[in-house]
Amino acid sequence: MSAPAPDPNAQPQHPPGGYAPPTGAPPPAGAPAGQPPATTAPYANSPPGSAPPGAYPPPGSAPGAYPPPGSAPGAYPPPAGAPPPGQAPYGYPPPGGYYPPPAGYPGQPQYYPPPGAYYPPPGQYPYPPPGGYPGYGAPPGQYPPPGQYAPPPGPPPGHVPATGPPQTPTSAPPGHYPPPTGPPPAAGASKDPYAYGSSYAMPHVAPPFPVGASSHPPPLGSYHPPPVTQNREPLWYLGTGIPDFLAPAAPVGLQKVQGYDPATTYAAIMKATFNDLVNEKQLTAALITLDAYKMDALCDFAVAKSGKRLPDHLEKVALGNYGFDKGHFRNAIRALTLGPLGYDVDLAYNALAGFGTNEMLLTELILGRSGSEIRLLISAYRQRYGRDLVDAVKSDLSGNSERMFIMALNAQRPPDHLPVDHAQVTADIEKLYTGSKKKDELAFCEVLINRSNPHIAAVITGFGQRYKSLSKVIKKTFSGNMETSLLYIMHGVKPKRDGQGIWRDAKLLEKTMAGMGTKDNQLIYRLIRAHWDPKRLEAIKDAYKRRYNKTLESRVKGETSGPYKDLLVEILRTSEVVKK
C-alpha cells in the first residue's frame, strides 16, 4: 500500500525543540551536523500548490520513483523540520560530543584567583580569540541547542586561556578606556600619550608587583581590591602610578604591595616619635624612599594599629625640636605621607580656605593639566571633603578668573597624541591677535585651556612668526593673576625651551628663594610635587644648574636649616635613582 499523498495545505511539522528548516533543497553533502539548512529565497514563478525546484519529488523523476519501494509509511516525503537522512536530529550534540559542564571539567584550574589573592596585572590574561573559545557553545552563526542558553560572554568558567600576546580588543574590559578611534599618530610621533617633546618623556607606571610576573594567581596571603565595574580614569598622577583612592583598606595581615611589609616602617615611625620626642633623622629615613603605593599601604596599616590617619598623627607630633623652623619640617613630612593625589587635594582645599584665594596655587594645581588628572583631582576632592571642587571655586572667585578655572576644571582639553589641526592653528593665531587688541581675556583662555599641548606650541610658534612674541603680548595686554596664569600655561609648552615646563618649574623654584626671606610653603609643595616623578625632578635640577650656574641642592641648603633643610635635601636626592 503506497503512502498517502502529502497535503500541500498542511502546516509544517517539526519535532519538539527542533528548528524547522525552510522549504527547498536538502542540505548539500558535507553540511555541518546539527546546523539548520540555509534559508532559500521564495520562488516567484512557481504555480500555487507546487513544490519548489529541488523539493520532493524532484522534477523529472520517473513515475513511481517516490516514495522508494519498501520505504516505511510516512518516510517520504520527510516531514517538515526533519533533518536530511543520516543526520542527527536538530538540537542534539553530535554523537559522542558533549558540552562542557558549567563549572568546567574536573581538574581544570579556575579562571579567577582565589579569595585573598591579587588579580593579575591588566593585559596578562589575553582576550578571547575571535569567535570565542573553541569547544564552548555553538560556533558563530549557529543557533544554541534547544533547551540551552547561549554561553555568557568571555571565557567559560574553569577555563584558563592560553598565554601569549593578547588579541586586539574591539571594546575595553571593565576599568579601562576603549582603544582610540581615528587614524594612528603620524610617523615618528611618540606612542606614549603622555609624552610630549623629546628631552623628557613621562615614565611608565611601575605596578606594585614585579614586571613580567606570571599570569597565574599569586599565593594566598596577598591582597586585591574588588574588581572595577565601570570605566575609570587611568590611575596616573604627577608622572607616577597611584593606588585607587576608592578601594577599601587592606585587611590586616595581607600584603597590599607585594614584597612590602608596612609593619617595619610603622615600627620605625613609632620609635622616631616615641613620647612625642621626634627624631627627625629617623623619621625622614623611614619615609623618604616610599613610593605612592607603599605610602598608601603604610597609611592603611597605621589606621588599623592606632585608629589615626598617619598624616594626622605626624601633624600632631612632628612639630620639630627647633622653634625657628615654624613647623616647616612637620608640613613637609606630612605632605609626603599624603601621596601625590592626596597632597594636591589638601593643597586645593587650603588654596580656597579662609580669607582670600591663593590663585597662584590654584594655577599650579589646575592649569595645564591633562583631562584625566583634572577628573581624578575632582573625584578625590569630593571623596575627601564631600564637596564638588567646581562649586568650591565658584564660591571663592568671580569674574573672568572664575571662568578661567571653571573652563580648566571642565577638562575638555584634547589629549596630546592627537594630530594637530593646522587650519585651527591659523584660526587661533588670528583669534589671539584680535583678542589682544580688544583685551579679551576669555579669547586667550579658550585657546590656551582648550587646546592640546602640541597645538598650543604650534600657535606660539606661528604667532611669533606672523606678529611678535606671544609672551610679550600677554605681558603687555593683561596684568595680575590673569597674566600670571596665561604665562604659566604658555611657558609649560613653549617650544623655545623644552616644551614640557621643565625650565618654567626651575625658575619658579628660584623665585621661592630669591630676595628677602624664603617662601617656604611654595618651596615645600613645588619640591614634593616634583619628586614623585624622579625623571622630571632630575630634569628640573639640570635646567636649574644651566640657568643659574649652581646646583639646586646648594641653593636649598643656603636658604633652609635644621631637620627641615635635611628633609628637603633628601627629597632632592630621590631623583638620583634615575642615574643608576
Side-chain angles (χ1 to χ4, degrees), residues 130-359:
Y133 288 90
Y136 187 73
Q142 285 196 14
Y143 296 100
Q148 295 189 20
Y149 289 102
H159 182 86
V160 177
T163 58
Q167 303 290 332
T168 302
T170 55
S171 62
H176 297 268
Y177 281 111
T181 57
S190 170
K191 296 181 180 179
D192 187 349
Y194 297 98
Y196 171 59
S198 57
S199 61
Y200 161 78
M202 186 173 291
H204 291 288
V205 55
F209 31 74
V211 177
S214 169
S215 60
H216 293 290
L220 292 173
S222 300
Y223 167 78
H224 69 83
V228 178
T229 57
Q230 58 182 345
N231 285 346
R232 295 284 305 278
E233 296 287 354
L235 296 178
W236 182 273
Y237 198 85
L238 288 180
T240 185
I242 61 172
D244 186 355
F245 62 92
L246 296 177
V252 176
L254 300 183
Q255 286 188 356
K256 194 171 188 179
V257 178
Q258 191 175 27
Y260 172 68
D261 183 6
T264 303
T265 308
Y266 182 78
I269 293 172
M270 293 300 102
K271 181 179 179 181
T273 58
F274 183 70
N275 284 340
D276 295 348
L277 297 175
V278 180
N279 186 320
E280 291 90 348
K281 187 176 181 179
Q282 290 183 5
L283 186 58
T284 298
L287 295 172
I288 196 65
T289 61
L290 301 185
D291 61 19
Y293 295 106
K294 293 178 180 178
M295 195 69 77
D296 176 67
L298 173 63
C299 289
D300 283 355
F301 187 86
V303 173
K305 297 295 288 186
S306 67
K308 288 184 179 180
R309 296 173 66 243
L310 183 59
D312 298 338
H313 170 71
L314 295 179
E315 185 176 27
K316 178 181 178 182
V317 302
L319 294 175
N321 296 333
Y322 304 92
F324 52 76
D325 84 350
K326 299 179 181 178
H328 299 318
F329 175 85
R330 172 199 62 191
N331 295 340
I333 205 76
R334 177 180 178 273
L336 283 176
T337 62
L338 287 169
L341 180 57
Y343 186 40
D344 270 16
V345 168
D346 192 70
L347 290 172
Y349 179 83
N350 291 332
L352 300 168
F355 180 76
T357 305
N358 189 338
E359 291 195 38

Side-chain angles (χ1 to χ4, degrees), residues 454-475:
H455 184 103
I456 297 173
V459 169
I460 294 171
T461 301
F463 193 95
Q465 293 172 348
R466 185 160 189 174
Y467 300 108
K468 60 177 70 175
S469 167
L470 184 58
S471 60
K472 292 181 180 179
V473 170
I474 291 175
K475 291 175 183 178

